[in-house]
Each structure stands twice: as C-alpha cells, then as structure tokens.
Amino acid sequence: MFHDIHEECGVFGIYGHPEAANLTYLGLYALQHRGQEGAGICSSDGRQLFVEKSMGLVADIFSEKRLRRLPGYMAIGHNRYSTAGSSVLKNVQPIVANFALGTLAIAHNGNLVSAPDLRASLEAQGAIFQSSSDSEVIVHLVAQSKGADFYERIAHAVTQISGSFSMLILREKELIAIRDPYGVRPLSLGMKNGAYVVASETCAFDLIGATYIRDIEPGEVLIIGEQGLESLKILHSQRKAFCVFEFIYFSRPDSNIFGGQNVNEMRKEFGRQLARESRIDADLVIPVPDSGVPAALGFSEESGIPFDFGLIRNHYVGRTFIEPKHSIRHFGVKIKLNPVRQLLEGKRLIVIDDSIVRGTTSKKIVKMLREGGHAKEVHLKISSPPTIGPCFYGIDTPTRSELIASTHLLDEIKKYVTADSLAYLSLDGLKKIVPNSHNFCTACFDCNYPISFPGEHHKQMEFLFK
Ligand code: AMP
C-alpha cells in the first residue's frame, strides 16, 4: 500500500478579525482551484477550537448555519485536492487533535517525502493514525515531542520532516505559519483591517480586501499571537526549490507568488518565448482554456498571428484531470470544451496548452478541432518543456511510465496526438524567463530532484519511476 503522496491543496488563515470564519470561507473560495475534493475550516475563540469539514466544493460545504458554528477571531482553512484511492472524509483537513498542551489544528499544502518512514516508526511506538494523509505525521511528532513548550515541540517536529510544506497551525490563542526551507509551495502574509492573513496565493487577499505584506520566508516559522508577529528561523537548506509548475499551471494568473511575481505575466512570457523558439505560418492562435490563455496571448503578441477563443469552456464542470474515476476522465474533454466552427473552419491553427501529461487531453482536442471545428491544420504548442519526471513535492502527476514525454520521442507524441506539428518550450527558454531560475525546482522537466528521498520513500519513488 502506498500512502497518499499527492497533496496539492490550498491553505488560508486569519488572526485578529471578528469575522474570521467568514473571511476564511471567502479565502478558500478564491483558492478553490488548488483543490476540489473537500474543504474545512477550524476557528478559535481564544478558549476552544471549532471545526467543520466535508467532501465537496467550498460553496456547497459551508452554509450560513455551518459558518455560525465557527465562532472566534482566528481561523485556518484548507482545500483538498482529489486523488484516486483517498477520496474520503477522514483525509479532509484541518486535522484537529488534542495533546498534552491543549488542542491544535493543522492545514498543510505539500508532500512530506519522509512521511512513510516517520509514520512507520510512530506506529511502532504506539501512535494511532486517523487518516492516510502525510500531514497527520506532524500532529504525532508534536504530540510525542518531549519539548518543554509548544515552540520546542514545533521545532522538534519540523526539523524531523522533509519534503514540501506550506502549513498553518491553529491553537487556542495563536496561529502559526510554517514554510519548508526550500520554499516549494507558495505562502504569503497579508493584512486586513489590522488582522493578519496568510494564504497559499494572493488571489485570496484580493477577494477579502487584504494587502500583501510579504512571503512567509522559506524555512520560517511565523507565530501570530497576542504579541503580534514573532519569526523563528529554525529550518535551513542549501538551496531554494520554488515549484516552477505553480507558474506554468497550478496558481491562478491573478496571484503574485514567490516574491510577488505575477503568474499571468510569467505565462505570457512563456508564450512569447515559445513563439520566438518555434515560428510557424498560421492563421489563428487559440488557447486551450483556461490554463493556455495567457501563453496564447503572449504567443500571438510575439508572432503577430491573431488570437481568438476557438474553444469554449463550460465552466460548470470541474477540471477533468482531477476526476478520480477513469471513466469520467475519458468523457472529460468533451464535457468541458467545444470548438467554435465559424471561427476555425478551413484555418491553420496554432493551439496553445500549458502542458501535456499523459497526452489524453491533447489528442481529444486535436480531434475535436478537426472534426467539430473543421480546422485545416492543427499545430500544437506547449508553453512548458516536456514533462518527464513525476513530482514528489505536491503536484499530482502519474507514474513515469504514464508521462508520455518520458516514454516517447517528440515525433511519436505528435503522431499520438495527431497534430500537424508539435513544439514544446525549451528548458533553457523557461529558465531564461523565470527570474533567478536556480532557485526553482524543475524536476518534472529534468528529473533533478532537489529534496532527497529517505528510506521507505524510495519504494514509492521507484514505483512512480516505473
Ligand atoms: P493529459 O491529458 O494527461 O495530457 O493532461 C494534460 C492537461 O492537464 C493539460 O491541459 C493541463 O492543463 C492539465 N494539467 C497538467 N498538470 C495538471 C495537474 N497537476 N493537475 C491537473 N491538471 C493538470
């Protein structure tokens, strides 16, 4: 049995606001793209923690009545990403647990590469786990620590785990934000009417009218309490490893991440670079919505080929990739996208998408553009390099053998997706665009994994590398 190693997710927290739960609800709503499987909010009134969580979308889970059951002036919330085999309520966060020093709740975005080992040794010592989520390991480490006070216990726990973690912890009287020393997942600090807010992405600040202050630094443990902010630096690493896939696909374009860099602008630049690298004569540039839109605009601007929306997306279906059941995924593309024949008929198209994973989506889109759209030529261009390595740090990718670019040559992929031509952004081109690219993890494109895999995790790694 492999543990759940796919933990993308979004987190939001607020300290010092009378409407903490309502604002957390809104924050999670803005972060819904980071996870649609389930969501939860835990609040505190200074004496006691309250929690409400369910499977489903934020707007469906939280009724007014449910939000009223979350009193207090501080709260944390979590959106969970859907993965096969673990779609169960017990894995929905925040995880709440009692321990010797009171109660704590944890909301975690990331993936702990050391979790299988730690879990095995904690279980050997008698720990009983409620879920299959990696994040629960942290709770047990805090609970078992012999540290004199809570901060010593936190230090004990976070120095034992490795992997990616952008994490929020709520106690009766404080909120703690922790980011792994590599800074793999984004985590930002903001302020609203004197209250501190923390979120995976700044789009959550925009919705609630909060101002961005700074990122939680890689390796920082930030305690937000009655005394204000206290920052501890207890985690260190040789390098940073910001996830470049946050720029390519995962974050929202209106968010500013990794030191306040705008995701939309970055994606447009990827598109411009792609146009410089692979010039081709065509009549129209169309994006695969929504993730391909900024890159397609950049491509169009750089190449001078007009842009239009040739594929219309039905926004009322979840992302097909996320659907846990195979049968639904196969229907996915048709349910989600439809070509505009009047626009596409007889045209030579450049179609821009952000990435190819298995190749299933691209194949269906090319077919759809030819059969439904009556396009003359379909040239597929991808605004990231070929995805050849599975992610162990929190992006949901399949095993290596399922990644089409790791098992097939460019020409074979082109044939598989039935495109007239296929081009990817080069890795050098990507690194040229991303400022300080040496601070980024690009393992999905070069298999250069910055955080090593201890003991048991090797087995998972080997499994995914098959
Ligand atoms: P595939 O059909 O497996 O090649 O998936 C490619 C499509 O999935 C592209 O349109 C991407 O925008 C999207 N995609 C890429 N990575 C992810 C991810 N980690 N989660 C969800 N969707 C993704």
PDB file of all heavy atoms in Angstrom, residues 79-104:
ATOM      1  N   ASN A  79      -8.262  23.573   1.395  1.00  0.00           N
ATOM      2  CA  ASN A  79      -8.920  22.940   0.255  1.00  0.00           C
ATOM      3  C   ASN A  79      -8.113  21.729  -0.119  1.00  0.00           C
ATOM      4  O   ASN A  79      -6.903  21.844  -0.325  1.00  0.00           O
ATOM      5  CB  ASN A  79      -8.888  23.858  -0.985  1.00  0.00           C
ATOM      6  CG  ASN A  79      -9.952  24.905  -0.958  1.00  0.00           C
ATOM      7  OD1 ASN A  79     -11.014  24.710  -0.382  1.00  0.00           O
ATOM      8  ND2 ASN A  79      -9.671  26.038  -1.577  1.00  0.00           N
ATOM      9  N   ARG A  80      -8.749  20.611  -0.240  1.00  0.00           N
ATOM     10  CA  ARG A  80      -8.004  19.403  -0.547  1.00  0.00           C
ATOM     11  C   ARG A  80      -8.165  19.000  -2.006  1.00  0.00           C
ATOM     12  O   ARG A  80      -9.247  19.055  -2.570  1.00  0.00           O
ATOM     13  CB  ARG A  80      -8.478  18.267   0.354  1.00  0.00           C
ATOM     14  CG  ARG A  80      -7.611  17.044   0.237  1.00  0.00           C
ATOM     15  CD  ARG A  80      -8.131  15.916   1.094  1.00  0.00           C
ATOM     16  NE  ARG A  80      -7.678  14.676   0.504  1.00  0.00           N
ATOM     17  CZ  ARG A  80      -6.457  14.199   0.668  1.00  0.00           C
ATOM     18  NH1 ARG A  80      -5.587  14.834   1.400  1.00  0.00           N
ATOM     19  NH2 ARG A  80      -6.093  13.067   0.088  1.00  0.00           N
ATOM     20  N   TYR A  81      -7.066  18.575  -2.566  1.00  0.00           N
ATOM     21  CA  TYR A  81      -7.022  18.136  -3.962  1.00  0.00           C
ATOM     22  C   TYR A  81      -7.473  16.680  -4.046  1.00  0.00           C
ATOM     23  O   TYR A  81      -7.186  15.891  -3.160  1.00  0.00           O
ATOM     24  CB  TYR A  81      -5.580  18.259  -4.452  1.00  0.00           C
ATOM     25  CG  TYR A  81      -5.415  18.227  -5.940  1.00  0.00           C
ATOM     26  CD1 TYR A  81      -5.397  19.410  -6.671  1.00  0.00           C
ATOM     27  CD2 TYR A  81      -5.242  17.034  -6.622  1.00  0.00           C
ATOM     28  CE1 TYR A  81      -5.220  19.393  -8.033  1.00  0.00           C
ATOM     29  CE2 TYR A  81      -5.071  17.015  -7.990  1.00  0.00           C
ATOM     30  CZ  TYR A  81      -5.056  18.193  -8.690  1.00  0.00           C
ATOM     31  OH  TYR A  81      -4.865  18.181 -10.043  1.00  0.00           O
ATOM     32  N   SER A  82      -8.138  16.345  -5.123  1.00  0.00           N
ATOM     33  CA  SER A  82      -8.665  14.997  -5.269  1.00  0.00           C
ATOM     34  C   SER A  82      -7.643  14.044  -5.867  1.00  0.00           C
ATOM     35  O   SER A  82      -7.016  14.342  -6.869  1.00  0.00           O
ATOM     36  CB  SER A  82      -9.879  15.057  -6.185  1.00  0.00           C
ATOM     37  OG  SER A  82     -10.184  13.794  -6.682  1.00  0.00           O
ATOM     38  N   THR A  83      -7.462  12.900  -5.262  1.00  0.00           N
ATOM     39  CA  THR A  83      -6.586  11.878  -5.840  1.00  0.00           C
ATOM     40  C   THR A  83      -7.262  10.529  -5.698  1.00  0.00           C
ATOM     41  O   THR A  83      -7.992  10.292  -4.746  1.00  0.00           O
ATOM     42  CB  THR A  83      -5.234  11.817  -5.107  1.00  0.00           C
ATOM     43  OG1 THR A  83      -5.477  11.722  -3.718  1.00  0.00           O
ATOM     44  CG2 THR A  83      -4.387  13.031  -5.387  1.00  0.00           C
ATOM     45  N   ALA A  84      -6.988   9.639  -6.642  1.00  0.00           N
ATOM     46  CA  ALA A  84      -7.629   8.321  -6.606  1.00  0.00           C
ATOM     47  C   ALA A  84      -7.263   7.582  -5.327  1.00  0.00           C
ATOM     48  O   ALA A  84      -6.142   7.678  -4.856  1.00  0.00           O
ATOM     49  CB  ALA A  84      -7.183   7.518  -7.817  1.00  0.00           C
ATOM     50  N   GLY A  85      -8.221   6.870  -4.769  1.00  0.00           N
ATOM     51  CA  GLY A  85      -7.940   5.997  -3.629  1.00  0.00           C
ATOM     52  C   GLY A  85      -7.989   6.674  -2.281  1.00  0.00           C
ATOM     53  O   GLY A  85      -7.954   6.005  -1.262  1.00  0.00           O
ATOM     54  N   SER A  86      -8.083   7.981  -2.271  1.00  0.00           N
ATOM     55  CA  SER A  86      -8.057   8.612  -0.955  1.00  0.00           C
ATOM     56  C   SER A  86      -9.164   9.647  -0.800  1.00  0.00           C
ATOM     57  O   SER A  86      -9.060  10.554  -0.012  1.00  0.00           O
ATOM     58  CB  SER A  86      -6.696   9.264  -0.715  1.00  0.00           C
ATOM     59  OG  SER A  86      -6.445  10.189  -1.737  1.00  0.00           O
ATOM     60  N   SER A  87     -10.220   9.492  -1.621  1.00  0.00           N
ATOM     61  CA  SER A  87     -11.339  10.437  -1.551  1.00  0.00           C
ATOM     62  C   SER A  87     -12.215  10.123  -0.358  1.00  0.00           C
ATOM     63  O   SER A  87     -13.328   9.630  -0.497  1.00  0.00           O
ATOM     64  CB  SER A  87     -12.181  10.360  -2.821  1.00  0.00           C
ATOM     65  OG  SER A  87     -11.382  10.622  -3.921  1.00  0.00           O
ATOM     66  N   VAL A  88     -11.727  10.375   0.802  1.00  0.00           N
ATOM     67  CA  VAL A  88     -12.503  10.056   1.998  1.00  0.00           C
ATOM     68  C   VAL A  88     -12.470  11.229   2.969  1.00  0.00           C
ATOM     69  O   VAL A  88     -11.490  11.961   3.028  1.00  0.00           O
ATOM     70  CB  VAL A  88     -11.976   8.789   2.701  1.00  0.00           C
ATOM     71  CG1 VAL A  88     -12.420   7.545   1.977  1.00  0.00           C
ATOM     72  CG2 VAL A  88     -10.469   8.814   2.823  1.00  0.00           C
ATOM     73  N   LEU A  89     -13.553  11.351   3.719  1.00  0.00           N
ATOM     74  CA  LEU A  89     -13.684  12.495   4.625  1.00  0.00           C
ATOM     75  C   LEU A  89     -12.543  12.557   5.645  1.00  0.00           C
ATOM     76  O   LEU A  89     -12.076  13.619   6.007  1.00  0.00           O
ATOM     77  CB  LEU A  89     -15.051  12.435   5.325  1.00  0.00           C
ATOM     78  CG  LEU A  89     -15.327  13.553   6.334  1.00  0.00           C
ATOM     79  CD1 LEU A  89     -15.265  14.929   5.664  1.00  0.00           C
ATOM     80  CD2 LEU A  89     -16.680  13.365   7.003  1.00  0.00           C
ATOM     81  N   LYS A  90     -12.076  11.368   6.079  1.00  0.00           N
ATOM     82  CA  LYS A  90     -11.061  11.410   7.131  1.00  0.00           C
ATOM     83  C   LYS A  90      -9.758  12.076   6.673  1.00  0.00           C
ATOM     84  O   LYS A  90      -8.951  12.489   7.492  1.00  0.00           O
ATOM     85  CB  LYS A  90     -10.801  10.015   7.704  1.00  0.00           C
ATOM     86  CG  LYS A  90     -10.190   9.010   6.760  1.00  0.00           C
ATOM     87  CD  LYS A  90     -10.057   7.670   7.499  1.00  0.00           C
ATOM     88  CE  LYS A  90      -9.185   6.653   6.853  1.00  0.00           C
ATOM     89  NZ  LYS A  90      -9.328   6.192   5.569  1.00  0.00           N
ATOM     90  N   ASN A  91      -9.565  12.206   5.374  1.00  0.00           N
ATOM     91  CA  ASN A  91      -8.364  12.878   4.880  1.00  0.00           C
ATOM     92  C   ASN A  91      -8.547  14.379   4.679  1.00  0.00           C
ATOM     93  O   ASN A  91      -7.611  15.080   4.308  1.00  0.00           O
ATOM     94  CB  ASN A  91      -7.893  12.248   3.568  1.00  0.00           C
ATOM     95  CG  ASN A  91      -7.198  10.917   3.808  1.00  0.00           C
ATOM     96  OD1 ASN A  91      -6.719  10.665   4.912  1.00  0.00           O
ATOM     97  ND2 ASN A  91      -7.158  10.078   2.806  1.00  0.00           N
ATOM     98  N   VAL A  92      -9.782  14.862   4.854  1.00  0.00           N
ATOM     99  CA  VAL A  92     -10.025  16.287   4.671  1.00  0.00           C
ATOM    100  C   VAL A  92      -9.474  17.046   5.881  1.00  0.00           C
ATOM    101  O   VAL A  92      -9.597  16.599   7.022  1.00  0.00           O
ATOM    102  CB  VAL A  92     -11.542  16.567   4.466  1.00  0.00           C
ATOM    103  CG1 VAL A  92     -11.816  18.057   4.336  1.00  0.00           C
ATOM    104  CG2 VAL A  92     -12.044  15.844   3.225  1.00  0.00           C
ATOM    105  N   GLN A  93      -8.845  18.169   5.610  1.00  0.00           N
ATOM    106  CA  GLN A  93      -8.209  18.953   6.683  1.00  0.00           C
ATOM    107  C   GLN A  93      -9.038  20.211   6.965  1.00  0.00           C
ATOM    108  O   GLN A  93      -9.912  20.533   6.200  1.00  0.00           O
ATOM    109  CB  GLN A  93      -6.791  19.332   6.232  1.00  0.00           C
ATOM    110  CG  GLN A  93      -5.917  18.118   5.979  1.00  0.00           C
ATOM    111  CD  GLN A  93      -4.461  18.489   5.767  1.00  0.00           C
ATOM    112  OE1 GLN A  93      -3.978  19.525   6.190  1.00  0.00           O
ATOM    113  NE2 GLN A  93      -3.742  17.610   5.086  1.00  0.00           N
ATOM    114  N   PRO A  94      -8.774  20.987   8.014  1.00  0.00           N
ATOM    115  CA  PRO A  94      -7.725  20.807   9.017  1.00  0.00           C
ATOM    116  C   PRO A  94      -7.894  19.532   9.861  1.00  0.00           C
ATOM    117  O   PRO A  94      -9.013  19.124  10.172  1.00  0.00           O
ATOM    118  CB  PRO A  94      -7.898  22.033   9.919  1.00  0.00           C
ATOM    119  CG  PRO A  94      -8.641  23.039   9.104  1.00  0.00           C
ATOM    120  CD  PRO A  94      -9.506  22.260   8.193  1.00  0.00           C
ATOM    121  N   ILE A  95      -6.729  18.965  10.222  1.00  0.00           N
ATOM    122  CA  ILE A  95      -6.713  17.838  11.157  1.00  0.00           C
ATOM    123  C   ILE A  95      -6.681  18.441  12.561  1.00  0.00           C
ATOM    124  O   ILE A  95      -5.848  19.300  12.837  1.00  0.00           O
ATOM    125  CB  ILE A  95      -5.443  16.983  10.954  1.00  0.00           C
ATOM    126  CG1 ILE A  95      -5.375  16.432   9.530  1.00  0.00           C
ATOM    127  CG2 ILE A  95      -5.375  15.859  11.988  1.00  0.00           C
ATOM    128  CD1 ILE A  95      -4.015  15.814   9.194  1.00  0.00           C
ATOM    129  N   VAL A  96      -7.590  18.010  13.414  1.00  0.00           N
ATOM    130  CA  VAL A  96      -7.632  18.559  14.776  1.00  0.00           C
ATOM    131  C   VAL A  96      -7.273  17.451  15.768  1.00  0.00           C
ATOM    132  O   VAL A  96      -7.748  16.324  15.621  1.00  0.00           O
ATOM    133  CB  VAL A  96      -9.039  19.112  15.108  1.00  0.00           C
ATOM    134  CG1 VAL A  96      -9.048  19.777  16.474  1.00  0.00           C
ATOM    135  CG2 VAL A  96      -9.477  20.110  14.045  1.00  0.00           C
ATOM    136  N   ALA A  97      -6.424  17.758  16.729  1.00  0.00           N
ATOM    137  CA  ALA A  97      -6.016  16.737  17.695  1.00  0.00           C
ATOM    138  C   ALA A  97      -5.752  17.350  19.063  1.00  0.00           C
ATOM    139  O   ALA A  97      -5.288  18.494  19.165  1.00  0.00           O
ATOM    140  CB  ALA A  97      -4.766  16.021  17.202  1.00  0.00           C
ATOM    141  N   ASN A  98      -6.049  16.590  20.085  1.00  0.00           N
ATOM    142  CA  ASN A  98      -5.713  17.008  21.452  1.00  0.00           C
ATOM    143  C   ASN A  98      -4.364  16.428  21.822  1.00  0.00           C
ATOM    144  O   ASN A  98      -4.044  15.311  21.432  1.00  0.00           O
ATOM    145  CB  ASN A  98      -6.750  16.470  22.437  1.00  0.00           C
ATOM    146  CG  ASN A  98      -8.099  17.098  22.186  1.00  0.00           C
ATOM    147  OD1 ASN A  98      -8.210  18.303  22.005  1.00  0.00           O
ATOM    148  ND2 ASN A  98      -9.128  16.261  22.133  1.00  0.00           N
ATOM    149  N   PHE A  99      -3.589  17.183  22.553  1.00  0.00           N
ATOM    150  CA  PHE A  99      -2.318  16.667  23.060  1.00  0.00           C
ATOM    151  C   PHE A  99      -2.062  17.301  24.419  1.00  0.00           C
ATOM    152  O   PHE A  99      -2.901  18.073  24.914  1.00  0.00           O
ATOM    153  CB  PHE A  99      -1.185  16.918  22.047  1.00  0.00           C
ATOM    154  CG  PHE A  99      -0.757  18.352  21.931  1.00  0.00           C
ATOM    155  CD1 PHE A  99       0.539  18.727  22.283  1.00  0.00           C
ATOM    156  CD2 PHE A  99      -1.621  19.339  21.486  1.00  0.00           C
ATOM    157  CE1 PHE A  99       0.950  20.038  22.187  1.00  0.00           C
ATOM    158  CE2 PHE A  99      -1.217  20.653  21.389  1.00  0.00           C
ATOM    159  CZ  PHE A  99       0.063  21.008  21.742  1.00  0.00           C
ATOM    160  N   ALA A 100      -0.914  16.969  25.010  1.00  0.00           N
ATOM    161  CA  ALA A 100      -0.658  17.364  26.397  1.00  0.00           C
ATOM    162  C   ALA A 100      -0.821  18.859  26.660  1.00  0.00           C
ATOM    163  O   ALA A 100      -1.230  19.277  27.737  1.00  0.00           O
ATOM    164  CB  ALA A 100       0.744  16.912  26.799  1.00  0.00           C
ATOM    165  N   LEU A 101      -0.527  19.698  25.658  1.00  0.00           N
ATOM    166  CA  LEU A 101      -0.564  21.148  25.890  1.00  0.00           C
ATOM    167  C   LEU A 101      -1.832  21.815  25.355  1.00  0.00           C
ATOM    168  O   LEU A 101      -1.883  23.022  25.227  1.00  0.00           O
ATOM    169  CB  LEU A 101       0.671  21.812  25.264  1.00  0.00           C
ATOM    170  CG  LEU A 101       2.048  21.313  25.739  1.00  0.00           C
ATOM    171  CD1 LEU A 101       3.166  22.069  25.050  1.00  0.00           C
ATOM    172  CD2 LEU A 101       2.182  21.458  27.254  1.00  0.00           C
ATOM    173  N   GLY A 102      -2.833  21.023  25.015  1.00  0.00           N
ATOM    174  CA  GLY A 102      -4.075  21.628  24.528  1.00  0.00           C
ATOM    175  C   GLY A 102      -4.542  20.985  23.233  1.00  0.00           C
ATOM    176  O   GLY A 102      -4.391  19.787  23.033  1.00  0.00           O
ATOM    177  N   THR A 103      -5.089  21.829  22.349  1.00  0.00           N
ATOM    178  CA  THR A 103      -5.604  21.321  21.079  1.00  0.00           C
ATOM    179  C   THR A 103      -4.871  22.021  19.952  1.00  0.00           C
ATOM    180  O   THR A 103      -4.515  23.200  20.082  1.00  0.00           O
ATOM    181  CB  THR A 103      -7.118  21.609  20.966  1.00  0.00           C
ATOM    182  OG1 THR A 103      -7.744  21.179  22.167  1.00  0.00           O
ATOM    183  CG2 THR A 103      -7.739  20.889  19.795  1.00  0.00           C
ATOM    184  N   LEU A 104      -4.661  21.324  18.842  1.00  0.00           N
ATOM    185  CA  LEU A 104      -4.098  22.003  17.681  1.00  0.00           C
ATOM    186  C   LEU A 104      -4.783  21.508  16.418  1.00  0.00           C
ATOM    187  O   LEU A 104      -5.296  20.390  16.362  1.00  0.00           O
ATOM    188  CB  LEU A 104      -2.576  21.827  17.611  1.00  0.00           C
ATOM    189  CG  LEU A 104      -1.958  20.466  17.385  1.00  0.00           C
ATOM    190  CD1 LEU A 104      -1.946  20.084  15.914  1.00  0.00           C
ATOM    191  CD2 LEU A 104      -0.514  20.506  17.872  1.00  0.00           C
TER     192      LEU A 104
END
